[in-house]
Amino acid sequence: MISSDRPATRLATRLAFLVAGFGVACWAPLIPYAKARLAVDDGVLGLLLLCLGIGSVVAMLMTGMLSARYGSKPIIIGGAVGMAIFLPLLAVVSTPLTLGLTLFVFGGSLGSLDVAMNIHAIEVEKAAKRPMMSGFHGLYSVGGFIGSMFAIFLLSVQLGPLPTMLVASALMLIATLAITPRLLTTTPAEGGPLFAVPRGFVLLLAVLTAIVFLVEGAVLDWSALYLTGAGLVGAEQGGMGYMVFSIAMTAMRLAGDKVVGRVGDRATLMWGSVIGIAGFVLTLVAPVAILAMAGYLLVGIGLANIVPVLFRQAGNQSVMPSGLAVTAVTTAGYAGVLLGPAGIGFVAKLTSLPASLWMLTALLALVTLTAGRVAGRPH
């Protein structure tokens, strides 16, 4: 077994997060091309996009069992290679059925990579004996930024969807080849369970992760509608709220390991959620756009390091095996991203969009109230 505490292993872990973010971001610019190629309406397109989420969740549930049996390394490699192989196919499939199936497999590759790289990251962090999860998650955001800029640039110079995705796929495969010998080769414990229902402390972590991911999804899907609906910005500036939020979150995650190492997990959860709540309140009461943007900035700053802390706590608890706990927390978070925005829309239809966002702010207070329980003592 390769030592967990070595620069090459830490670099390989960072590159795994970068590849995951890069691959997802490269798919996003293909969506308009896919809609035009298949000649489908928004309703059908929405159902097709749901296939990616379903594939991810199914793979996440399986990854916990597979990692318990084989370790995280082969799953990281398989997930990254799967994303690289199926990404170009997303640029050429020509029927709703084939696109749905391809998205399901692409999402499955992403979901398995997501869980496995977090399990691997926890082992690397434990060996280093210092906070590293925020930096790892920050590299996912950096990968997303690089991937979106890369795809947009090549598509803008008329390279075409398929050649663009083939270049992206080649880069992902090269990165995967580079990290393969540097990833940890673990030997799972004999006789350990392959599946466990989250309970107690792990269930709490899963709920909190779902809430934080729900908030992130709400900012992505609803910030533009709120800002334009409230008359704070015009339609062409609607995306500014999410842009400010994303920049703040990425910057804070890249600096997060030092911050968390200085203040600790408990303070990160408590004050991070308080800052996030303050940001939402500022946005919802802001009479002018600049204050609303300041609110989204605070939300990004506050929430940036909460999820990495929750993942670390899942890896360090003793209620259930670490890999299975990380699987439960990751799956819950992804469910929050998938189902949350639709739930917000349902509540907004019954009441109003501001009212649904106030309810979301109240949910975030659960992170504040449970910070001591989550990070106050060993589990």
Side-chain angles (χ1 to χ4, degrees), residues 20 89 123 139 145 149 152 158 180 191 195 209 225 279 319 331 336:
L89 292 180
E123 293 301 317
L139 263 294
F145 176 77
M149 292 299 100
I152 289 170
Q158 307 302 315
T180 296
F195 178 79
T209 304
L225 289 175
V319 174
T331 306

Side-chain angles (χ1 to χ4, degrees), residues 105-142:
V105 181
F106 182 77
S109 300
L110 169 63
S112 60
L113 174 58
D114 199 335
V115 173
M117 69 188 185
N118 274 290
I119 294 173
H120 190 274
I122 288 170
E123 293 301 317
V124 173
E125 184 186 63
K126 285 179 180 178
K129 296 183 174 62
R130 66 178 189 272
M132 300 189 72
M133 288 299 291
S134 294
F136 292 145
H137 282 253
L139 263 294
Y140 182 93
S141 300
V142 171

Side-chain angles (χ1 to χ4, degrees), residues 12-66:
T13 310
R14 293 187 180 101
L15 285 176
F17 278 81
L18 187 76
V19 166
F22 180 88
V24 173
C26 285
W27 152 242
L30 292 180
I31 295 176
Y33 290 92
K35 182 181 179 182
R37 188 170 65 250
L38 273 61
V40 296
D41 59 23
D42 289 341
V44 174
L45 182 63
L47 291 175
L48 291 172
L49 294 178
L50 187 60
C51 293
L52 188 150
I54 294 172
S56 294
V57 171
V58 171
M60 285 176 178
L61 295 172
M62 294 176 59
T63 299
M65 295 183 283
L66 292 174

